[in-house]
Amino acid sequence: MKKIFFLAVLIIFASFKTNDSSSKDYKDSSLSIDERVEALLPKLSLEEKVAQMRIFHANIGVEHDENGKLKLSDRVVEKLKLGIAGIKNPGEHIDAVSAAKLNNELQKYIIENNRWGIPALFVTESYNGVDAEGCTKFGRPMTSAASFNPELVRRQWDVVGREARLRGMHMCHSPEADIVRDPRFGRMSEAFGEDTYLTTQMVKNAIIGVQGDYEGLGKGTHIGAVAKHFAGYGQVLGGSNFAAIEISERTLIDEIYPPFEVAVKEAKALGIMASHGDLNGIASHGNPELLTGVLRDQWGFEGYVVSDSNDIARLFYFMKVAESPEAAAQMGLEAGIDIDLYAEDSYAYLPEMVRKNPELEKLIDRSVRRVLRTKFILGLFDNPYIDIEEVKKGVRIQSSLELAKESDLESIILLKNEKSILPLSKDKSLKVALLGPLLKENTKEMFESVAGSNVKFIAEKGFQLTNQKGGAPELLDRDPKAIASLVNKARSSDVSILFLGGDEYTAKEAYFSNSTLGDRATIDPVGPQDELVEKIKALGKPVIVVLKHRRTLSINVIAEQANAILDTWDLSEFGDQSTARIIFGEVSPSGKSPVTIPRSIGQIPFHYSMKEINYKKEYLFLAKGPLYPFGYGLSYADFEYSNIAISNTELTPDTELEVSVKVTNIGNVKAKEVIQMYIKDEIGSVTRPDKELKGFKKIELGAGESKTVSFKITPKMLEFTGLKMKKVLEAGDYKVKIGTSSQEYLETTFKLKK
């Protein structure tokens, strides 16, 4: 009897032990991800846990030596003894195959030199494709937004995800989900524009693309996205990086949060990066209501939150909301920051802090779970290496290069086309001058490849805009000889194409160092660009301007003087070739402006969806309205909108409406058009926007062809934050506006009844 009792006790004890996660093997791929995390976490020492909460940059000593073997600095070797959360940009300056080899060797070293064989996350950025040598270079996000084609953006970011993974990367600190409305801000082109709905659609598709519809993460074909900067970073006061951010709670909820919420709930982003700035006086990196309350408790985010560069430590020495570096580390940890990016004076203090305050280890465990979970999702414990033979088959392949060209063609915006000067004919003998400071070395070659033998080109850059110093570039003095030479080139030609605007030196990120600047106090084109346009126009010959830039510019003189303007923002590596194809009529332009283009910096803030009361008064001595409105863009075809119709004039909280319009191409060429739907709430309990974009569709029509385009109107579209700071759906009158831009449309009405 005693033997039976003893055996029963053993069986019961064994069953308890089997169910204990610490008895499970985290290397067992048959376990769930959560089970594997819980099996590994208790094994780690405090120092090993903290190591899983830090990322350093590869530029401190990760490279290949002269024999092509992994070479690590003493500093890197020391950092990797306990493992690491991740490394930023390993192999960024070498080709894809070499980078894949380097990252395989690096990962092998990391796995073999920490006790538990924990792999590292290798992290990149993706502003115009993978931010690394030898990958396909796409246009910047603002350029992509001009396409008004989310499916195209998804395909583009799918390539980004595939190329990054083949280099051995696992995460990207992209895309930006910020709304940008101030062209003084040097990082403007990194985001998708001024509008909440457009940005939301683009961010969602970028994340789904780069993550391979989430399924690509575990299969090892794609990388994880880190949406940034949460929240309100694009709204820095004065457009000055690191400045304060003041946004009403209502605007935050209705306009700033939605792209991030969709990134979490629908696109399933693996990571979120916190904002450099404060938010209404509360430093974002020390804001538990934002990083835990909104992000996790409200939206259910399960991924990790990473700091922006050194920003936890800056809670002490810059934001001055923490009493000491240790207090800053605790503030970031309690707020919900899981990974410290770069800093040596922040989370590095956590082990000693825990010895004084053991309760902090619970928060450390919380963060480490999130980091380990990400590594398991990405399959790094089971398949940490890249198949080198696959790299050449997947990086810069022809289909990816063709996609870059396709994206360019759909993103170029025709702002002006006086007397239909464009497209130019390839069939007529023509001498064309390619002139101006934004001309590239291969621009002439790209135009020649498109135009054929009848068109002859001469090209001259003339002058640079700045001295091109990386930190704080300075404007160059006006060069009268250079201007005269450009004018003479134009005089000897039949038509001049001027490449004007701005470049990577006139609009860029203003890093923390005081010696690095990137924001501007004015938005007029710099240097003698306006003078150049006026002098060449005075010759009495046609002037076409190709506008290249990374921030919105007030191009009043260009708009007045040029016969045609193509706004290209910042296109792919094939940008000039794509521009030539538009100019010579191979494709009709179909881009639409993702921002409002002001006449003067004095109009800022100035976006199409401002409150209706903002439009009551104009300014003395300034023409009315924007230079070009949001959603504006011409075509080589003319489109006629007619027969707007709505399925019902009443909507209830439980029903939907359908609104439609007939669009006819009354031109003589096949072309694409973006049909835009805006909704205006006529009366609200709080002051309401003048109009809000709620839908858009891009269609292609042959000459003379018509299509009826329909949109659904749902009660969800009409919700906003009411008097009591709760989402409300208010009964009343609404207008629906469907058209070719935010200022040119047909409209109809309906009532919401409750």
Side-chain angles (χ1 to χ4, degrees), residues 46 50 53 326 329-330 333 346-355 360 364:
L46 174 60
V50 173
M53 299 171 65
E326 291 82 1
Q330 183 166 338
L333 184 65
S346 182
Y347 279 6
Y349 299 138
L350 287 179
E352 186 59 34
M353 291 169 62
V354 169
R355 293 183 183 99
L360 290 178
I364 290 172

Side-chain angles (χ1 to χ4, degrees), residues 8 22 59 171 219 231 240 281 439 453 471 647 744:
S22 64
N59 63 10
M171 300 291 295
K219 292 179 179 178
S240 178
L439 195 73
S453 59
S647 60
E744 188 177 348

Side-chain angles (χ1 to χ4, degrees), residues 92-104:
E92 65 178 322
H93 298 304
I94 55 181
D95 65 84
V97 172
S98 299
K101 291 177 180 177
L102 172 72
N103 289 329
N104 276 349

Side-chain angles (χ1 to χ4, degrees), residues 182 184-186 233 235-244 510 519-520:
D182 192 333
R184 293 173 294 183
F185 187 43
Y233 177 55
Q235 316 298 306
V236 284
L237 294 180
S240 178
N241 205 9
F242 296 99
D519 309 312
R520 283 186 59 199

Side-chain angles (χ1 to χ4, degrees), residues 646-659 679-683 713-715 718 729-736 748-754:
I646 195 163
S647 60
N648 199 319
T649 57
E650 293 184 359
L651 177 69
T652 72
D654 301 315
T655 61
E656 296 180 349
L657 298 179
E658 184 172 274
V659 63
I679 294 180
K680 177 181 177 62
D681 184 357
E682 291 283 75
I683 304 290
I713 299 175
T714 67
L718 310 181
L729 185 62
E730 292 187 346
D733 296 323
Y734 294 82
K735 283 184 179 176
V736 187
T748 186
T749 61
F750 68 92
K751 286 182 179 290
L752 174 64
K753 290 196 171 182
K754 297 179 71 174

Side-chain angles (χ1 to χ4, degrees), residues 256-317:
I256 306 301
Y257 284 167
F260 289 99
E261 185 174 4
V262 166
V264 168
K265 289 183 174 180
E266 297 184 34
K268 302 178 182 178
L270 289 194
I272 294 288
M273 178 180 281
S275 166
H276 271 312
D278 70 342
L279 191 54
N280 300 327
I282 303 175
S284 293
H285 279 68
N287 190 338
E289 182 179 347
L290 178 70
L291 301 180
T292 299
V294 173
L295 186 59
R296 298 193 185 277
D297 297 342
Q298 290 184 31
W299 298 347
F301 179 60
E302 295 182 344
Y304 70 73
V305 175
V306 61
S307 77
D308 207 339
S309 173
N310 297 290
D311 276 350
I312 300 174
R314 288 177 185 154
L315 293 172
F316 165 61
Y317 67 81

Side-chain angles (χ1 to χ4, degrees), residues 496-509:
S496 294
I497 301 176
L498 307 185
F499 294 80
L500 307 175
D503 58 19
E504 67 270 28
Y505 297 98
T506 61
K508 61 191 183 71
E509 181 176 358

Side-chain angles (χ1 to χ4, degrees), residues 489-666:
K489 288 286 193 304
R491 184 178 287 111
S492 68
S493 303
D494 300 309
V495 59
S496 294
I497 301 176
L498 307 185
F499 294 80
L500 307 175
D503 58 19
E504 67 270 28
Y505 297 98
T506 61
K508 61 191 183 71
E509 181 176 358
Y511 292 107
F512 192 74
S513 165
N514 288 331
S515 63
T516 303
L517 305 176
D519 309 312
R520 283 186 59 199
T522 66
I523 57 172
D524 297 330
V526 299
Q529 296 186 83
D530 286 347
E531 177 189 354
L532 180 65
V533 175
E534 290 176 321
K535 288 193 171 183
I536 292 181
K537 181 63 182 295
L539 299 174
K541 298 181 179 184
V543 175
I544 299 163
V545 169
V546 174
L547 197 65
K548 299 182 177 185
H549 54 117
R550 290 185 175 183
R551 69 168 86 245
T552 305
L553 298 171
S554 50
I555 53 168
N556 297 285
V557 172
I558 292 172
E560 178 186 359
Q561 297 288 322
N563 299 99
I565 304 170
L566 286 171
D567 186 357
T568 68
W569 278 90
D570 193 341
L571 296 169
S572 79
E573 58 187 289
F574 305 104
D576 284 347
Q577 182 185 76
S578 300
T579 302
R581 292 185 64 192
I582 295 283
I583 286 175
F584 286 96
E586 288 188 13
V587 180
S588 176
S590 62
K592 300 284 186 176
S593 182
V595 295
T596 300
I597 303 176
R599 299 176 186 275
S600 166
I601 195 169
Q603 292 175 294
I604 296 170
F606 197 39
H607 51 277
Y608 87 92
S609 58
M610 294 191 301
K611 295 173 181 177
E612 183 180 357
I613 58 174
N614 288 39
Y615 295 102
K616 177 66 175 176
K617 292 290 185 180
E618 298 294 331
Y619 292 97
L620 280 170
F621 321 125
L622 187 71
K624 182 179 179 180
L627 191 59
Y628 297 103
F630 173 85
Y632 179 83
L634 303 174
S635 170
Y636 293 157
D638 291 313
F639 296 99
E640 180 181 78
Y641 285 69
S642 62
N643 299 347
I644 189 169
I646 195 163
S647 60
N648 199 319
T649 57
E650 293 184 359
L651 177 69
T652 72
D654 301 315
T655 61
E656 296 180 349
L657 298 179
E658 184 172 274
V659 63
S660 63
V661 70
K662 182 181 178 182
V663 183
T664 304
N665 180 349
I666 58 175

